[in-house]
Amino acid sequence: MTSPFKPLSLRRLPPLPGNSQQKSHEDGSLPSPQCHSVTVTLPEELNLSSLKIFLTTYPQILEEIVLETVDVKKLSSWIQKKSKVMSKEAGMHRTPYLTAMYGTTDIVKIQAELLAALDAKEDILPYLSELLNVISRAVNSISAAMYVIRGSEREMRLYVPNAGSKQDYQLGMSIPIAMNSTVAAHVAATKKSILVQDLYLDSRFPHGIGVEDSLLNSVLCVPVTLPTNDLICVMEFGRNCQLPIFTDVDAQLVTAMVSWVGLALHQRKIAYQLSKQTELNDFLLEISHIMFNDVVEMDMLVKKIMLYAKELVQADRCALFLVDHDTAELYANLFDEGKMMHGRPVFSKKPTLRFSMEKGIAGLVARTGEVVNIKDAYADSRFNREIDRLTGYTTHNILCMPIISHGVVIGVIQMINKLSEHKGEKCSSGNGFSSCDESAFKMFAVYCALALHYSKVHEEMKLKSAQVAVMGDQLAYHSQCNPQELRILVNNFHPREVPVDFDSFYFYGPATHEDQLMQLFVQMLGNLFGPECYIKLKLCNLIATIRKNYRALPYHNWGHGWNVAHCMYCVLTRIRDNNLISNRRMQALMIAALGHDIDHRGFNNSFYSRYNDPLAYLYNNSTMENHHFEVVMSILQREANNIFCELPSEEYTEIVRYMRHAIIATDLALHFPNQKKLSSLIVNQSLNFGNPTHLDDIIALLITACDLCAVSKCWEDHLSTIDEIYDEFHNQGDHEKALGDMPTAMLNRDNKKLIPQDQIGFFKFVCIPCYQTLSEIIPEASELLVGCKDNLDQWERVIAGKSTKVWEPAKSVVTAKPAKSHHHK
C-alpha cells in the first residue's frame, strides 16, 4: 500500500487523524497538543504501517505522546525489554566463541583472565595478539589487524602472528603514520577511534585499509594508548558486505576493552620498571660488594666490570679501555673473544693494545665523555669495518659509554651486539641497545668509576708502601750511628774529666766540650739515676744515633739538643729529692730533651703549612714537634737502641706518653695559654703537683724553659747563640724570597739592625714571663730568671749605645768591656 505521505520535509504536515480542521504554524510545525483537547479516532485509510512511518519520521510527536500519556513505571518496563532485546542481538554472534574460550560471556571475568595472562608474559605482543582475537570474535569481525609502534611515533609496523615457528610473531610492512591515509594510519595520527560504516564512500581514507582489492566495507579501528597518551598499537576490525555494518554497540564494547587494556598495560609497565629497578639495585649491591671487598688488582677488576656489563645490558661482546691522559691513548690487555667456560665468559689476556684517543668510536667517547649508541653499525660512517673483516665477527649494534671519575673520563666500555631478551640471539640492525640499557649502565658506570679509582689508589699505595719499605731500610742503615763512633763511645763511656761548673745553669758545653758531649750526657744520666741504670751498649747506640740524626744547622743542631738536656738535668738534680716528679718521668724528660729537635730542617711550622709540605700533610698541628717525636720513637724502638726494653709494657707505654707530651710542648704556640693558666693557678693558690693535669702543665712549662735556656747563658755564649738563630731565620727568609714571597721582618736578612729591638721584645713578652712563673713553681730554677734579666739589661745597653758588661754569675761581679758592633755575623 502506498504511503499517504509524500516527501514531508518540503510540505506541510498532514492533519492529525480525526482533526482535519487543525492548522499548522507558518514554519510548518504542529501546534502543541496541550493547546487543544482532541479525540483521536483511527480512520479506515490509516493503517498501523503508515502510522509507524509517520511516528518514525516525526519522533517528536511520539515523544510528546509518551511524555503525556505513559507513566514512569510503564516506561521503565519498556526500557528493560528494549535492553534485553539489544543484549540478545549483540550477543548472538559472540556468545559461542566467548563461551568456548573462557566458559562465560561475562566481560569482567574475561578481563580478569586476560590480566592474569598479561602478568605471565614478558613480551606484550603475544598478549595483544590474544586480545585482538578475543575482540575480533566478540564483534564478529572477519578481519583483524594490529599495527605496532616501534621506537618512535613516526611509523608503525604490521604485526603478523607466526604460530609454529621459533618466534611467536614477526613484524611485517612498515606504514607511515599520517592523517587522511589508511584508516589505521589516521587513527594512529589522531589517537581517536573511528567507526567507518561504508569504507568505499568515506573520502577521508583514499587508501582504505591499505590492502588492494579488499572486500571490507565496514571498519572499526581503535588506538591502544596508555594514560600518558603514549600509543602502543592500533587494532583494526573489518566486515564485508555480507555482514551487517558495525554499530555503536560494537564500538562501545571495543573501546571499553581497549581502555581497560591501556590501564592494565600502564600498571604493568610501572610494575615492570619497579621490578627491573629492584633487580638493578640488587645487581649493583652484589657487584659493589665484589668490587670493594674482593677485587683489588686492576686486571681482576677489569674482568669483573666486563663480565657484569655484558650481563647488565645483554651484550654479546664487551671491551673495556682505560685512558692514559699523559699519552692521550686508550689501552687494554683483556679481550672478549666469545670464549666460554662453565657457562661463563672467559677473557683473553694479551700484550697491551694502545691506540690514540683520536681514533674510533671509543676514542670519540673518551674525548667527549658522551654516550654513543649505534643501532646499525654498517650504516654509521664512524664504524671501522676493517675490524670485522680481520676477526670474522659481524657487528650489528654498538653501545659505547664513558666511565667518569672527578669529571675526567678514566675508561671507556664498549658493548657489541644486543642479545634477544628471550632467546639469546643477536638483535638485527635497527633495534640494538635501548635507552633503558643506557640508563642502567650510567648507574653501573658510577660504581665502575669508584672501583677503578679505588683499585688505582690501592695499586699506588702498594707501590708507595714498597718504596717506603725500601727507603726505610736505607734510612735505618744511614741514620744508625757510625760503628767507629759507637766503638769510641763504648770504649770511652765516661768523660775524661767532669768540668767544675758542670752542674751550673750557666755551663755551655757546645762551646768548650764539643767532642765530649755524648760522654757528658752519660754523666748526667749516671748522676741522676745511677751508673748502672741502663744497658751500656744500648745506651751508647741510642745517644750516638740521636746525635747522627740531628742535621748540620746553625742552631737546631746536636749542640742545641744537648744544651736543653743539660738545663733539664740542672733542674732535676735540684728537685729529685723533693719527689715532685717520678723517676720514670725524669728518665723520659732527659731523652725527650736530648731529642726534642731531632731532624729539624731549619724552617718554622708556618712554613710547612704555607707551602703544603708533606710534613704538614702528616700532622694537623705542631708539625715539627710531632715529627721530632716520631723520629725519636723510630730510633728508640730499634732493638739495639731501646734502653727501656726490660720495662713492663705498662711502664714502657707510660714513658712514651711522657716523652711525647714533653716534645710537643716545645711548640711555643702551646706555651702561651699554658703559662697564663699556671699563673692563674698560682694567684689562686690552687696549683698542686699531685694533680696529674697540673703536673703535665708544669712539665710543659719546664721543657719550654729548658728550650729557651740560651737566653740565660753568659752574655758571650748568648750572643753566639743569637748569631746561629738568625742565620737560620735569614736562610728561611731567603728561601721564601726565592719562592716569590716576602718574608716577615724577623726572617728578612735586610733587617739585621732590628735584632736588638726584636730580642728585647722576645725577652719581655716570652722569656721573662716563662722564667718568672717557673721560679714561683720551682724556686730551685730561679737562676734561669736571673741570667735572663741580666741579658735583657745587656740588650737595653746595646739599644742605648752603651758598652756591655762582662759578668761572673757566681760572684755577681760585673766589669766593663767594649761592646761589639751588634754581635752578629
Side-chain angles (χ1 to χ4, degrees):
M1 179 176 178
T2 304
S3 172
F5 306 114
K6 302 299 181 184
L8 298 177
S9 60
L10 301 177
R11 61 188 287 269
R12 292 183 180 179
L13 293 172
L16 288 172
N19 189 7
S20 60
Q21 303 299 320
Q22 184 178 7
K23 303 291 182 181
S24 63
H25 294 299
E26 294 180 358
D27 60 0
S29 63
L30 293 174
S32 170
Q34 296 177 353
C35 299
H36 306 280
S37 174
V38 181
T39 303
V40 180
T41 59
L42 188 62
E44 291 181 2
E45 65 273 13
L46 185 65
N47 58 24
L48 184 61
S49 177
S50 62
L51 181 60
K52 284 183 179 181
I53 294 173
F54 178 86
L55 292 177
T56 302
T57 306
Y58 301 101
Q60 67 269 27
I61 294 176
L62 178 61
E63 182 181 350
E64 290 177 0
I65 294 172
V66 170
L67 291 174
E68 185 175 303
T69 62
V70 179
D71 59 46
V72 175
K73 184 176 181 180
K74 187 66 175 178
L75 184 61
S76 177
S77 175
W78 288 355
I79 292 172
Q80 291 178 2
K81 289 181 180 179
K82 180 63 176 176
S83 299
K84 290 180 180 180
V85 171
M86 292 179 64
S87 298
K88 184 177 181 180
E89 292 176 351
M92 285 179 62
H93 53 271
R94 67 176 68 104
T95 300
Y97 174 75
L98 296 179
T99 302
M101 287 293 295
Y102 297 98
T104 181
T105 58
D106 190 337
I107 294 298
V108 175
K109 291 183 178 180
I110 294 173
Q111 288 177 342
E113 290 197 31
L114 285 172
L115 180 60
L118 173 63
D119 290 339
K121 294 181 181 293
E122 294 183 5
D123 190 351
I124 65 170
L125 286 181
Y127 166 77
L128 291 175
S129 178
E130 182 178 353
L131 178 66
L132 182 74
N133 290 331
V134 170
I135 297 176
S136 178
R137 298 295 185 91
V139 296
N140 198 27
S141 169
I142 66 167
S143 172
M146 182 167 64
Y147 298 89
V148 181
I149 310 303
R150 302 293 290 177
S152 69
E153 294 191 3
R154 292 191 297 272
E155 66 175 23
M156 57 187 184
R157 302 185 72 180
L158 178 62
Y159 167 85
V160 181
N162 198 20
S165 175
K166 291 183 179 180
Q167 287 186 314
D168 297 327
Y169 62 89
Q170 63 181 2
L171 295 175
M173 61 181 179
S174 179
I175 301 174
I177 294 175
M179 303 280 286
N180 302 320
S181 179
T182 65
V183 178
H186 186 89
V187 169
T190 61
K191 297 181 182 178
K192 294 182 179 179
S193 300
I194 289 180
L195 172 58
V196 181
Q197 294 183 335
D198 194 334
L199 186 61
Y200 300 105
L201 299 179
D202 199 319
S203 61
R204 293 175 297 174
F205 312 111
H207 301 293
I209 63 170
V211 180
E212 294 184 4
D213 301 326
S214 172
L215 299 178
L216 299 179
N217 70 319
S218 182
V219 176
L220 177 57
C221 194
V222 294
V224 180
T225 60
L226 300 178
T228 57
N229 206 34
D230 293 328
L231 184 64
I232 303 299
C233 69
V234 173
M235 292 184 175
E236 184 181 75
F237 308 96
R239 292 178 182 173
N240 58 21
C241 59
Q242 297 178 356
L243 294 174
I245 62 175
F246 285 115
T247 66
D248 289 338
V249 175
D250 295 314
Q252 290 170 5
L253 173 63
V254 174
T255 302
M257 292 196 72
V258 166
S259 298
W260 169 83
V261 168
L263 291 172
L265 288 175
H266 182 64
Q267 293 299 323
R268 180 185 181 277
K269 182 179 179 181
I270 293 175
Y272 177 78
Q273 290 174 341
L274 291 174
S275 173
K276 295 302 290 183
Q277 186 62 51
T278 300
E279 290 178 8
L280 178 60
N281 291 340
D282 293 341
F283 172 76
L284 293 176
L285 285 174
E286 179 186 356
I287 62 173
S288 62
H289 173 79
I290 292 173
M291 287 179 175
F292 294 102
N293 289 340
D294 300 333
V295 179
V296 290
E297 300 296 338
M298 185 64 72
D299 283 353
M300 287 297 297
L301 178 60
V302 169
K303 287 181 182 178
K304 292 292 184 182
I305 291 176
M306 292 170 67
L307 179 65
Y308 282 106
K310 287 183 66 175
E311 182 179 338
L312 180 64
V313 299
Q314 289 296 297
D316 184 48
R317 297 286 177 89
C318 178
L320 175 61
F321 302 100
L322 299 178
V323 180
D324 186 342
H325 288 282
D326 294 334
T327 61
E329 290 180 321
L330 282 80
Y331 65 95
N333 61 358
L334 289 170
F335 301 93
D336 184 1
E337 298 178 328
K339 298 178 181 178
M340 302 289 288
M341 182 179 292
H342 306 301
R344 303 284 286 179
V346 177
F347 305 109
S348 304
K349 187 168 184 179
K350 297 185 176 181
T352 300
L353 170 68
R354 285 181 172 268
F355 60 92
S356 171
M357 289 173 60
E358 299 298 324
K359 294 182 179 180
I361 295 170
L364 173 65
V365 172
R367 295 194 310 272
T368 64
E370 297 178 356
V371 176
V372 173
N373 191 347
I374 299 175
K375 303 294 184 183
D376 187 348
Y378 280 80
D380 195 297
S381 60
R382 296 170 295 182
F383 175 64
N384 184 5
R385 303 184 184 190
E386 185 67 15
I387 298 176
D388 279 9
R389 190 187 68 81
L390 293 174
T391 61
Y393 181 82
T394 302
T395 301
H396 295 293
N397 23 72
I398 299 173
L399 176 60
C400 194
M401 304 191 70
I403 299 174
I404 300 174
S405 176
H406 299 89
V408 177
V409 178
I410 63 173
V412 173
I413 192 162
Q414 185 168 281
M415 278 74 74
I416 302 172
N417 288 349
K418 173 75 173 180
L419 296 176
S420 168
E421 294 182 0
H422 310 297
K423 307 299 181 182
E425 300 174 356
K426 302 179 185 66
C427 293
S428 62
S429 300
N431 294 326
F433 298 97
S434 66
S435 58
C436 293
D437 293 327
E438 293 183 26
S439 299
F441 187 82
K442 282 179 181 177
M443 185 177 295
F444 175 63
V446 174
Y447 287 80
C448 293
L450 289 171
L452 287 172
H453 177 72
Y454 168 80
S455 183
K456 185 177 180 181
V457 169
H458 176 80
E459 288 196 347
E460 290 178 351
M461 288 177 62
K462 285 183 64 178
L463 177 61
K464 296 297 183 184
S465 296
Q467 292 174 340
V468 168
V470 173
M471 292 177 63
D473 289 339
Q474 292 176 328
L475 290 173
Y477 174 79
H478 292 290
S479 64
Q480 190 67 29
C481 62
N482 185 287
Q484 182 179 358
E485 191 176 62
L486 177 62
R487 282 195 300 270
I488 293 173
L489 179 57
V490 171
N491 296 331
N492 300 276
F493 191 59
H494 299 286
R496 292 185 295 271
E497 59 176 340
V498 178
V500 176
D501 56 350
F502 182 67
D503 290 346
S504 168
F505 283 104
Y506 308 111
F507 178 75
Y508 190 63
T512 57
H513 297 78
E514 183 175 3
D515 61 338
Q516 287 281 294
L517 294 182
M518 290 193 291
Q519 287 86 351
L520 289 174
F521 183 75
V522 171
Q523 183 69 34
M524 296 182 211
L525 297 180
N527 291 347
L528 282 171
F529 312 117
E532 304 298 331
C533 58
Y534 303 113
I535 300 173
K536 179 179 178 181
L537 184 58
K538 289 182 181 293
L539 179 59
C540 291
N541 264 305
L542 177 65
I543 298 172
T545 304
I546 289 177
R547 179 183 182 279
K548 177 72 179 296
N549 281 268
Y550 267 97
R551 300 196 180 197
L553 298 175
Y555 176 68
H556 290 100
N557 51 38
W558 158 249
H560 168 68
W562 187 93
N563 201 47
V564 173
H566 176 263
C567 186
M568 179 65 70
Y569 161 75
C570 292
V571 175
L572 296 180
T573 55
R574 287 162 173 76
I575 65 171
R576 62 179 174 178
D577 294 336
N578 299 338
N579 296 320
L580 298 176
I581 302 175
S582 69
N583 188 69
R584 289 283 181 239
R585 192 153 198 168
M586 287 194 294
Q587 293 182 60
L589 285 174
M590 288 300 296
I591 303 301
L594 185 68
H596 79 284
D597 270 336
I598 195 170
D599 198 41
H600 201 290
R601 280 89 185 282
F603 303 112
N604 57 25
N605 283 339
S606 62
F607 177 88
Y608 298 103
S609 299
R610 183 177 182 182
Y611 296 104
N612 298 317
D613 189 271
L615 278 173
Y617 179 78
L618 288 175
Y619 311 108
N620 293 327
N621 46 48
S622 301
T623 301
M624 287 309 301
E625 288 73 23
N626 274 290
H627 177 62
H628 302 323
F629 169 71
E630 293 296 336
V631 175
V632 169
M633 287 308 302
S634 70
I635 294 172
L636 183 64
Q637 288 173 349
R638 297 175 199 167
E639 181 61 29
N641 307 331
N642 194 350
I643 59 175
F644 303 117
C645 63
E646 295 181 348
L647 293 178
S649 59
E650 297 82 4
E651 292 188 32
Y652 181 83
T653 301
E654 190 176 37
I655 281 186
V656 171
R657 187 186 77 81
Y658 292 154
M659 291 174 60
R660 184 182 189 281
H661 172 72
I663 293 175
I664 301 301
T666 59
D667 184 358
L668 272 181
L670 304 177
H671 163 70
F672 298 108
N674 184 57
Q675 188 268 329
K676 290 182 180 179
K677 176 183 176 182
L678 289 171
S679 296
S680 178
L681 290 173
I682 292 170
V683 170
N684 297 330
Q685 297 183 349
S686 56
L687 184 65
N688 181 7
F689 270 86
N691 185 317
T693 302
H694 291 185
L695 182 58
D696 281 347
D697 294 338
I698 293 170
I699 296 299
L701 181 71
L702 174 59
I703 191 73
T704 301
C706 294
D707 195 17
L708 300 175
C709 68
V711 300
S712 66
K713 300 299 180 181
C714 297
W715 176 246
E716 291 294 329
D717 295 331
H718 171 62
L719 283 181
S720 64
T721 302
I722 292 299
D723 287 338
E724 295 166 355
I725 290 173
Y726 276 92
D727 271 353
E728 272 191 29
F729 285 174
H730 294 158
N731 286 338
Q732 177 175 332
D734 295 341
H735 197 76
E736 292 181 6
K737 288 178 183 179
L739 293 173
D741 294 324
M742 180 56 66
T744 61
M746 183 179 292
L747 303 180
N748 196 335
R749 191 179 297 276
D750 299 332
N751 295 328
K752 281 187 176 182
K753 62 182 179 180
L754 300 178
I755 291 177
Q757 185 176 339
D758 290 342
Q759 284 303 300
I760 288 177
F762 182 68
F763 271 71
K764 288 184 176 180
F765 296 106
V766 179
C767 302
I768 296 296
C770 174
Y771 291 126
Q772 181 68 50
T773 303
L774 182 65
S775 64
E776 294 181 23
I777 299 172
I778 304 176
E780 294 85 349
S782 58
E783 291 177 72
L784 293 169
L785 177 61
V786 173
C788 182
K789 287 181 176 180
D790 285 338
N791 284 328
L792 173 60
D793 179 63
Q794 297 280 48
W795 282 114
E796 288 175 340
R797 292 178 66 85
V798 171
I799 290 289
K802 299 179 180 179
S803 62
T804 56
K805 303 173 181 179
V806 177
W807 52 280
E808 299 178 25
K811 300 179 180 178
S812 295
V813 175
V814 178
T815 58
K817 183 177 181 180
K820 294 182 180 178
S821 75
H822 297 301
H823 318 284
H824 321 295
K825 296 181 181 177

